[in-house]
Structure formats: C-alpha cells, structure tokens
C-alpha cells in the first residue's frame, strides 16, 4: 500500500521508496569502469558519431592510448599481487627454516597476562616463562614456536616475545651466542 510516507518522486515518476532505494544502492562489478567498460564505451561512441562530422583521428588515437595504458596498469597490478604473495611465502619459508634450527633448545620468553585488580579493572602484567622449543607453526600468517614449558604446559610463543635461546646441557643452560639466537622476523628485513 503506497502513501506519501513510503513513496518517492523522481523526474515526475512516483516509486515505492524501498524499491527505488534498493535499485539505487546496488553496486555490481558491471558498474565498475574497467577495460571492458572502456571498450564498450569506445565502440558506442564510434557507432553514434555524426557521419557529417566524424571523430577527429587525434582524439581516437588518444583514447586508444588511454585504453592501452589502462590495460597495462591492470596487468601490472595483477602481477604485483602475485609477486607480493610469492615474496610472503618465501619469507615465511626462510623464517620457518631458521626457527626449525632452534628445536630442542631452551627458551625464555615473556607473555602479557590480562588480570583484574581489586576493583575489577583490567590490568596487564608481563610474566616470564622458560621451556624447550618443540616445533614451529604457521597459523593465519603468523609464525610461532611451540614450547614445552617447565610446568609441562604447551605454549605457542610469538617470536617477538622470545628473550633468550640457549643450548641445554647436562650441567644446565649454556647461552647461545646472541648473534645466532636472534631471530629477525622477515617483515623487518
């Protein structure tokens, strides 16, 4: 049922407001200006040009150059996306390789623990932990080491939280040379 509150008049034609809004807010791929849309526009322009006053050749050549530039930019963007994915995969592989060399070594790390104070307000504190690196995992693009803590619990430790990596010996820990124990995330290289 149409009334003055749910109708809209555009160019003298009255529409149901909801139906009109739905047709106006749809955004589809067909509405984007890509190289196919450019070609369609150019062909339409050529079809409907005035035969007594045809399009100037210089204008036609300029439009073709614009089309060529658009196509090259599109292809370059696609290639850059592929290169970015490839570099990300290589960085992750190198990092996993570096971290795999630390399996079986001791590790000290810190974690931020959320707690509540006496009034119930959230308080963040950092705690130190120690354990043995048992593996490497990559989940959601984040590389972590798997650690068996001294209390027997298993942790996934972000490499940014690692403080020290050391060799385990029968007499205790021997700290690894800081140059070999430092792991640099690939995104920082």
């Amino acid at each position: 049922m149409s009334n003055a509150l749910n109708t809209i008049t555009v160019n003298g034609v009255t529409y149901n407001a909801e139906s009109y809004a739905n047709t106006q807010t749809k955004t589809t791929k067909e509405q984007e200006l890509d190289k196919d849309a450019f070609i369609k526009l150019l062909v339409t322009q050529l079809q409907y040009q005035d035969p007594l006053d045809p399009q100037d050749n210089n204008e036609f050549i300029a439009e073709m150059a614009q089309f060529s530039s658009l196509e090259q930019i599109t292809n370059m963007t696609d290639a850059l996306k592929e290169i970015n994915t490839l570099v990300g995969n290589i960085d992750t592989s190198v990092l996993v390789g570096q971290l795999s060399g630390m399996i079986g070594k001791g590790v000290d790390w810190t974690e931020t623990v959320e707690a509540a104070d006496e009034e119930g307000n959230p308080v963040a504190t950092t705690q130190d932990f120690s354990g043995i690196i048992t593996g490497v995992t990559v989940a959601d693009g984040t590389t972590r080491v798997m650690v068996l803590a001294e209390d027997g619990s298993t942790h996934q430790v972000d490499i940014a939280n690692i403080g020290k990596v050391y060799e385990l010996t029968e007499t205790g820990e021997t700290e690894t040379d800081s140059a070999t124990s430092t792991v640099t995330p690939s995104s920082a290289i």
Side-chain angles (χ1 to χ4, degrees):
M1 180 174 183
S2 295
N3 61 42
L5 297 176
N6 65 359
T7 60
I8 185 168
T9 303
V10 178
N11 296 330
V13 179
T14 303
Y15 300 96
N16 177 297
E18 183 178 344
S19 299
Y20 182 79
N22 288 338
T23 61
Q24 297 302 307
T25 59
K26 290 182 182 176
T27 302
T28 64
K29 181 145 179 68
E30 296 172 355
Q31 292 175 332
E32 294 178 15
L33 279 178
D34 58 2
K35 60 184 178 181
D36 294 333
F38 187 84
I39 285 291
K40 287 178 186 176
L41 187 63
L42 185 62
V43 168
T44 303
Q45 184 179 4
L46 289 174
Q47 280 179 331
Y48 294 103
Q49 69 179 335
D50 183 0
L52 300 176
D53 185 23
Q55 182 178 7
D56 182 25
N57 287 339
N58 291 335
E59 287 179 34
F60 181 72
I61 291 170
E63 288 180 13
M64 289 304 293
Q66 287 175 343
F67 170 72
S68 178
S69 296
L70 174 65
E71 186 172 26
Q72 289 175 1
I73 289 170
T74 301
N75 293 340
M76 187 170 53
T77 301
D78 293 342
L80 286 174
K81 287 178 185 176
E82 290 176 14
I83 289 171
N84 187 33
T85 300
L86 179 64
V87 168
N89 291 342
I90 290 171
D91 285 349
T92 300
S93 297
V94 169
L95 183 59
V96 167
Q98 289 175 343
L99 293 173
S100 295
M102 295 177 5
I103 294 175
K105 294 186 180 184
V107 63
D108 294 339
W109 79 96
T110 58
E111 285 186 18
T112 302
V113 179
E114 295 288 330
D117 64 10
E118 295 171 3
E119 298 173 3
N121 298 323
V123 176
T125 60
T126 50
Q127 292 182 348
D128 295 325
F129 296 93
S130 294
I132 299 172
I133 298 174
T134 60
V136 179
T137 183
V138 179
D140 298 325
T142 303
T143 307
R144 294 184 176 96
V145 292
M146 302 296 295
V147 178
L148 179 61
E150 291 175 338
D151 65 1
S153 61
T154 304
H155 298 264
Q156 289 187 13
V157 179
D158 192 335
I159 59 174
N161 295 338
I162 295 175
K164 180 170 76 170
V165 175
Y166 47 89
E167 294 288 339
L168 296 173
T169 63
E170 292 180 22
T171 59
E173 68 180 61
T174 304
E175 187 171 339
T176 305
D177 181 352
S178 63
T180 59
S181 66
T182 303
V183 177
T184 304
S186 58
S187 61
I189 297 178

